Structure formats: C-alpha cells, structure tokens
Amino acid sequence: MLFTRRLMLGLAMAGSIVSALAVPAMAEGPTEIDLFFPVPVDGKLARDMGTLIKEFNETHPAIKATAVYTGSYDDTLIKTRASIKAGKPPAAVIMSANFLLDMQIENELTNLDGLIAADGTTKEKFLGQFFPALQGNAVIDRSVYGVPFHNSTPLLYINADKAKEAGLDPSKPPQTWAELTDWAKKLTKREGDKVTQWGIAIPCAYDYCGWMMETLTMTNGGRYYNEEFGGEVYYDTPSMLGALTWWNDLVYKHKVHAPGATPGPAVSTSFISGNAAMMMLSTGSLTYVRDNAKFNYKVAFIPRNVRNAVPIGGASLIVPAGVEADKQKAAWTLIKWMTSPEKSAWWSRATGYFAPNMAAYKTPDMVDFLNKNPDAKTAVEQLDVAKPWFATYKTVPVRKNLEDEVMLVLNGKKQPKEALVAAQKAADETLKPYNAETSLKLP
Amino acid sequence: MSLAEPAALPVAASAPPHLHILKRLSTRFKTSLPAYLLLLPSLIFLALFTYGAMGRVFIDALYQRATPKAPLRFVGLDNISAVLADPAFTGAVINNLVYAVGTAIPSIGLALLFALALARTNAVTSALRAALFLPVLIPMVAASALFLFIFLPNVGLLDYYIGRLLPVLPNWLGDSDIALYAIMVITIWKNAGYYMLFFLAGLQSVPEDVMEAAHLDGAGPWQRFRHITLPELKPTFLFVTVIAILNAVTQVDHVFVMTKGGPSNATNLVLFYIYQQAVEHYDIGKASAATLLTLAALMGLTALSFRTMANREGGA
C-alpha cells in the first residue's frame, strides 16, 4: 500500500500549508495588470486613455491597471508577440480586430468562452450586446476571442464651404463613383500645371492602404478575402481591378488626386488645411476633424460603384495566451467595464470611433451628443452594409503583398492589372505553408 | 630498454629550461593578470551579448518552421538561398549601398568643410560649432518625427518654401523615386556635425611648424591644404569613413518612423528587412540568415579597413 491514509493526510496538509503561504502573498495589494493600447488615428487618444484607466482604478481598488502605449496597430501586434515570447504578456491588449485570426492560428490568444461562462451567461447573450457586423472579427471557430472596443468604418469627408464655392450642394453628397469623380474634378484648382487644391485624398500607407483597397473593392461589388478561411485572398479579380483602375484614374487620368502614397495623418492635415477638398478616412478621425476644421464639413457614406459596402475597422480587446488566472480575471473585469454602454459611449464621443455596444446609443449623454453632432451618426448608419475586416494567416505580410503593388500604381510605375497579378502571386506564396497544412492537405 | 636510456638523457637535460619557461610564463601571467581582470567584465558581456547572440543566429539560420504548428526542421543553407533569392533583400542591399555612399560622402565632405571653417576658436566659431553639433544630440526618432512634418506633401515646411519655386510639388516620402533620398537628407544633417568633431581633433595634429615653413616657402593656402593638411588627416578620414558605413547599416530608426520601408520597399534597408522578417513575417530562420550575410559583409569590410590602416602605419 503506497498511498496510506497517513501519506494522503500528509500530502493534504502540505498542500494546505503551501496554499496558505501562497494566498496571503498574492492577496497583498491589488492585482497589477497591463493594458497595451495603440493610437492609429489622429487626435488625443493617449490622453483620453489615461483618463479612462484612472477612472477604472478609482472604482476598482482590487485591480491596478496600467495603460501602455504601443504605437500603431502593426506595432502593437509586434510588441504583444514579443511579450508573449518573453513569457510576460500584458493581461489585455487593444488589438486591431483583423489580427485575431492570425494570432489564433499562432496559438497566441486566450479563448474567452470560459470567462463568459463563469459570469453565468452565454456566448450568444454576451455577443448580442454588440453590432452584428462586428462579430465576424471576434469569433473564430464558434469561440469568442475578442471583445469589440472601438470600431470604425471609412467615411467620405467633404469640405462643405469649398463645395458651395464650386457650385455643389453639400447636403446632397456624391453617392456613386461617377458623382464623386465629378465632384473631385470641380473641386480641383490649378495654376497652370500646378495643383493648388486637390479634389480628393485617399490615404495609402502600410495598413491604411489595404483598408482603403478593401473599401473600394467592396463598393465595387467584390470580396477581398475568404471570410470563412484564412488561406485565400482575391486580389486578381474584376472587382478589385475595377477599384484600382478607378483610383489610378483619379490620379493619372483626371488628375484630381495627388500621385504617390500618402499616409493618413498627411491626408487629414491636407483636408484640415484646405489643400484637399474631400478625403476618405476612418470615422476614428472624426473628433480630430471636428476640433480642428475651421470650415463647415460634412461626412457621408463611401460612394458606390456597384453596391454600398464598407469593411469594419478598429480594434477589439483580447487576452493574450499565457496570462495567469488571477490576471485573466482582472483583465476580464477591465474589458467588461471598458465595453459597457456608458464607457464605450464616452470613448466614442472622445475619439470619433463608433461604440460597438448597441446600448451605448440609448444612454442619455449619447442621445444628447448625437442631436448636437449628427455627423457622428453616419458611421453607425453605415454599419448596416458593413462586412468583416480582412483577416488571414500572416495578415500583415499578405496585406503588404497588395499594398506594395498599389503603391507602385499610385507612383505611376505599374498598371493596375499587372500590379494585381503580382500581388496575387506574392500573396499565394505567403499563404502557401498554411494552405499546405489545411486546404491542400488531402486525406 | 637500451634505446630508451640515451633518450632519457636529453629530457633530463632539458628539464631546467622547461621549468624556466614555465616560470617566465607565470611571471608574465602575474603581471598581466590585473589587465585581464579589468577586461573580464567587458569580455563577459561581449561573450554573452555579442558572440553568444552571433552563435545563436548561426544556429537559427539553419532551421525553418514551415507552419505555426509544425516543428523546427533542419534545412541547412536553404534559408540563405531563400534570402538571396528574395527581391526584397537584394533591393534592400542596393538601397543600402546607395544610402551608404550617398550619406557618407556628403556628410564627410560637409564635416571637413565645417571643421576647416571653424578650426580657430573664438566666440563665433564656438557658437557655430555648437549649432552644427546640435542635430547629433537629437534622438533619431525625434528628428524623424520632425522631418515627417517638414516633408508633409503640399502643406509641410519644405513645400511651403520650395513649393513656390517648383512646377510640381513632389510627395517627398510617398514617391518611390524620391523617398530614399529624402531620408538620406536626415542622415547627412544628423551626422555631419558628429564627424566634424573628429576633423576638428584631426586638425589639431597638423604640425604648426611645418605649416609655417610651407608658408615661408611661399606655398599658397590650397597647396598647404593639399600637401600638408589632407595627408595629415588621412587616419581621420579612414576612421570617419568606417563609422559612416557602419552607421549606414545600423541606423534605421528614421525608416521605421517615416516610411516603414515603403513605398513599395523603396526605402527598405538591410537591417529593416531583417526586422521585418523576424517580427512581421515571424520567420526567424530567414531573419537569421539575412543577419549572417550582413555580419559577414561587415566583418569583411572592417577587416579590410583595419588592414589599410595597418599598412599605412607600417609605411609611415
């Protein structure tokens, strides 16, 4: 008899002594957790985040959360991965919504189903709080991996004063590509060969460029990638060719869009300074435009060629893999608090992102705010036609495969067709290992 | 036995000199021990963080992970050939060569000009020296953020002034033909003041009496510069050139802040390519292979420059 009663008792006692020693050590002071947060758009997001976390810590004495600024969406992914590799992941991260699939493939995410169940609720009920369009980027294989925090859609921003000046009616913004081209032509001013005012600006820098291509492709009737499976993108398709050709025409045929690749901040600065009369940009920049534009502006749906559609943008809250149980719990408290109707409404007003929690729009403060700022409604209305955001295996490199080629087109180095063929080839190459393991692995 | 007997003799005879050598070695060791002890901390760090890391890179370069769930697999030199076949890498190498030559020559030239102009010490030259040295003190990331606004198309500081003169306003960082030269400007602006310091120090070593003698012999300023100053500055030139080339490979902060290697890899440099492979593509094997190639090139270059320096000293 190896397991005598005495031995068992001894083990149990040893166990209780160990846990008795361990528990007070852990109970000392609040649970300290880190929250990684990016700032992908214009404005004073970092200061607002400080205000939000301060309030959380004041109302939750058992937890001490620290907000850590981690740069752009792409940088935040890199820093999160580095910290997971180093064995010290932050308890929560505001992660670009389309990186979740890639991270799940790499086993870098905590499945949130358990934490939801521990609250005595169901996945359906929990997700039911959020706009349906957001769920595609939060749920993978029927498990919840992310909680939508701040989300965006692209918008068309119009300088209403300049439109009136050009004899256009800003209360009837362009609804189709043809109308937009027409507006852009009328809003472009030249002195000889030199353009002093551009009709339209569309950002193209790594990250933004892919999102804008997805936007144009969707309004042109297309899909961008396989929403169900991480191994396929549709770069070399008629809908994307049409989209890139139109963008190329704005630059080189109609000459109403500046050539070259322009990052988001340069586009918004150009719009604010009156150098560009219209721009396509995230609703995340809305508060920045509202605070800084010294002219009347108007926001509108992204014009369509075939149909109205936009991709979701923005970020979700995630818990990286490898976070200890007590920190997971603390992170979950923080995540639920941040995505509650009141807080997500406050954050939406502060930044311009829309609030993913539908109940946020029923809070009195938000109703008030929307009455005063009807421009904040546009992104929410556009949600009816919103689709999930591009997510594949190795999302960033696959996205860059396209972006590098689009930049060549905007720089006048390639024609749209050859660029898309090259992008497709490069992306297929990047996706090959994943397909070899999944879709090409035959029984 | 009889054969072993005579053989034993010389051994016995040579024993005292043998001991003597040991003694000499031990005294030499005793005197140099403090020196080694003083070097030890540096040696430990060098071993841990330089040679250890290099060894790790060497091993990592031989392995590849096909997919996230697949185990590491020994692939030999496959990673090296994959890197060499990658147009992004060859593009980065060419960009880096253009960048190295295009930043080293102007910044060294400017540094020499500054040093010659400000060689004499007085209130004005001290102030100017400080002004020229100021960019060195600004962190590269901050400087890049600054230049991001200067280069802003249409509304930036540069276009605000130059835009009036040019027929078409260039998109400085967004045009794949211009972007690399735009970021080179920052490097030149930042490094010229730094290299100036070395030339200022170098000018101190130009012997006063030789200069005076040449002056008395009727040598003009150009002749004196050409035949006395320049040869005296030769070691400084060599040193600064090596630093400038190393800087061209190791400074990528501005690429990171301003262009992320874009548009379409036009500003991608070798170190940034390695970073991309490691953290964006999550491909440690390829990143290590690219690191090895870069290390080999840099070591070759450094060895060459040391030899050149040694030869020069030998000849002098």
Side-chain angles (χ1 to χ4, degrees), chain B:
Chain B
M1 273 302 214
S2 57
L3 270 172
E5 207 70 17
L9 273 170
V11 172
S14 72
H18 183 65
L19 275 176
H20 183 67
I21 287 168
L22 272 179
K23 213 180 213 171
R24 218 170 59 192
L25 268 178
S26 80
T27 46
R28 195 188 272 178
F29 181 73
K30 259 183 212 149
T31 48
S32 52
L33 184 66
Y36 282 112
L37 279 178
L38 286 171
L39 281 174
L40 196 63
S42 307
L43 277 176
I44 290 172
F45 279 104
L46 207 63
L48 265 176
F49 295 106
T50 304
Y51 297 114
M54 273 162 71
R56 180 65 198 270
V57 163
F58 190 78
I59 293 165
D60 283 347
L62 301 173
Y63 288 87
Q64 183 57 270
R65 184 188 68 151
T67 56
K69 270 141 199 159
L72 275 179
R73 195 164 46 90
F74 181 82
V75 294
L77 298 179
D78 280 9
N79 283 327
I80 301 249
S81 49
V83 166
L84 289 173
D86 186 351
F89 179 73
T90 39
V93 170
I94 292 167
N95 283 345
N96 225 147
L97 288 175
V98 172
Y99 178 83
V101 174
T103 55
I105 293 174
S107 57
I108 292 172
L110 277 176
L112 180 63
L113 273 181
F114 292 158
L116 287 171
L118 307 175
R120 244 168 253 147
T121 327
N122 58 44
V124 180
T125 56
S126 310
L128 280 174
R129 279 184 197 176
L132 289 170
F133 188 68
L134 191 68
V136 182
L137 300 175
I138 303 174
M140 193 55 143
V141 172
S144 311
L146 209 76
F147 269 87
L148 212 51
F149 287 101
I150 293 174
F151 283 137
L152 213 57
N154 301 309
V155 288
L157 199 63
L158 193 63
D159 279 2
Y160 187 80
Y161 289 106
I162 289 188
R164 295 150 196 253
L165 309 170
L166 292 177
V168 181
L169 287 179
N171 185 345
W172 301 103
L173 296 170
D175 187 329
S176 45
D177 287 336
I178 306 178
L180 184 62
Y181 301 101
I183 65 164
M184 276 159 61
V185 169
I186 307 170
T187 312
I188 295 167
W189 170 78
K190 227 180 152 318
N191 288 346
Y194 181 47
Y195 303 151
M196 171 187 77
L197 284 193
F198 296 110
F199 282 114
L200 281 172
L203 285 176
Q204 308 268 311
S205 68
V206 177
E208 215 43 63
D209 46 346
V210 177
M211 221 37 156
E212 244 177 63
H215 195 68
L216 289 174
D217 287 345
W222 169 250
Q223 280 173 312
R224 269 177 282 153
F225 174 72
R226 172 74 189 77
H227 296 289
I228 302 170
T229 314
L230 266 189
E232 284 295 330
L233 284 179
K234 225 173 167 181
T236 316
F237 265 110
L238 257 166
F239 179 69
V240 169
T241 308
V242 171
I243 293 199
I245 289 169
L246 287 180
N247 271 345
V249 182
T250 53
Q251 283 182 338
V252 285
D253 319 27
H254 48 339
V255 175
F256 192 91
V257 173
M258 298 175 75
T259 61
K260 302 256 173 183
S264 316
N265 285 322
T267 57
N268 205 346
L269 301 180
V270 171
L271 189 58
F272 193 74
Y273 172 87
I274 293 170
Y275 159 83
Q276 278 184 322
Q277 289 303 320
V279 299
E280 271 179 11
H281 290 245
Y282 234 20
D283 192 338
I284 301 300
K286 230 171 130 184
S288 305
T291 309
L292 272 190
L293 289 172
T294 314
L295 264 178
L298 284 181
M299 279 167 111
L301 204 75
T302 315
L304 198 77
S305 63
F306 273 129
R307 240 183 64 179
T308 324
M309 272 195 252
N311 279 351
R312 198 213 156 259
E313 270 157 29

Side-chain angles (χ1 to χ4, degrees), chain A residues 56-383:
Chain A
F56 175 80
N57 286 333
E58 281 164 7
T59 50
H60 297 76
I63 301 169
K64 189 179 174 296
T66 309
V68 182
Y69 168 65
T70 44
S72 69
Y73 280 157
D74 287 6
D75 298 342
T76 301
L77 174 67
I78 289 161
K79 283 172 189 163
T80 306
R81 287 190 152 159
S83 64
I84 293 172
K85 276 246 160 89
K88 290 213 176 294
V93 184
I94 298 176
M95 182 65 69
S96 185
N98 64 330
F99 293 163
L100 268 56
L101 175 67
D102 191 9
M103 293 187 77
Q104 197 267 341
I105 292 173
E106 304 271 359
N107 298 323
E108 292 167 329
L109 288 181
T110 297
N111 185 326
L112 302 176
D113 290 354
L115 290 161
I116 294 172
D119 284 343
T121 181
T122 62
K123 277 184 273 183
E124 291 69 29
K125 254 195 179 158
F126 179 77
L127 283 173
Q129 312 171 68
F130 305 105
F131 286 105
L134 306 176
Q135 297 176 11
N137 285 120
V139 179
I140 302 162
D141 294 338
R142 276 185 281 165
S143 280
V144 181
Y145 284 94
V147 183
F149 171 61
H150 64 196
N151 292 90
S152 57
T153 65
L155 292 175
L156 178 66
Y157 290 75
I158 300 164
N159 185 325
D161 293 354
K162 301 239 178 207
K164 272 190 195 146
E165 228 175 83
L168 297 159
D169 182 1
S171 68
K172 288 191 194 106
Q175 295 189 346
T176 63
W177 285 8
E179 286 170 30
L180 183 69
T181 310
D182 188 48
W183 275 55
K185 279 185 191 163
K186 286 182 178 151
L187 285 166
T188 304
K189 282 187 190 164
R190 290 171 217 279
E191 281 171 18
D193 276 347
K194 198 152 122 190
V195 177
T196 53
Q197 178 183 307
W198 293 100
I200 183 154
I202 304 174
C204 180
Y206 292 124
D207 200 6
Y208 232 132
C209 202
W211 199 50
M212 292 327 286
M213 267 316 291
E214 187 176 8
T215 305
L216 298 179
T217 304
M218 281 184 174
T219 52
N220 202 23
R223 285 163 85 199
Y224 188 97
Y225 72 107
N226 187 339
E227 298 88 345
E228 319 280 324
F229 168 65
E232 288 168 2
V233 289
Y234 309 130
Y235 291 163
D236 185 18
T237 53
S239 52
M240 194 173 287
L241 178 61
L244 188 54
T245 305
W246 180 61
W247 198 351
N248 185 45
D249 283 355
L250 289 177
V251 179
Y252 291 102
K253 194 171 148 198
H254 308 303
K255 298 189 165 60
V256 295
H257 178 300
T262 315
V267 166
S268 54
T269 312
S270 192
F271 181 74
I272 297 282
S273 69
N275 185 262
M278 294 188 287
M279 65 169 176
M280 283 189 191
L281 213 66
S282 166
T283 185
S285 295
L286 185 56
T287 302
Y288 175 74
V289 171
R290 188 183 297 137
D291 291 348
N292 291 288
K294 293 185 182 72
F295 48 82
N296 293 310
Y297 68 91
K298 178 113 185 111
V299 294
F301 272 35
I302 296 288
R304 66 176 182 274
N305 190 36
V306 173
R307 60 167 177 172
N308 276 322
V310 283
I312 287 295
S316 299
L317 279 155
I318 58 139
V319 177
V323 175
E324 300 102 322
D326 60 321
K327 293 200 172 185
Q328 267 187 25
K329 262 184 152 171
W332 188 238
T333 309
L334 174 67
I335 288 172
K336 279 189 296 183
W337 185 82
M338 283 172 77
T339 54
S340 67
E342 289 74 26
K343 290 309 137 200
S344 80
W346 181 85
W347 183 251
S348 167
R349 292 196 296 275
T351 60
Y353 281 104
F354 70 80
N357 196 319
M358 289 185 281
Y361 289 91
K362 298 199 181 73
T363 60
D365 283 350
M366 200 63 168
V367 172
D368 248 24
F369 176 78
L370 286 178
N371 283 335
K372 275 182 211 139
N373 301 284
D375 53 356
K377 276 185 215 157
T378 310
V380 185
E381 285 160 3
Q382 217 173 196
L383 274 182

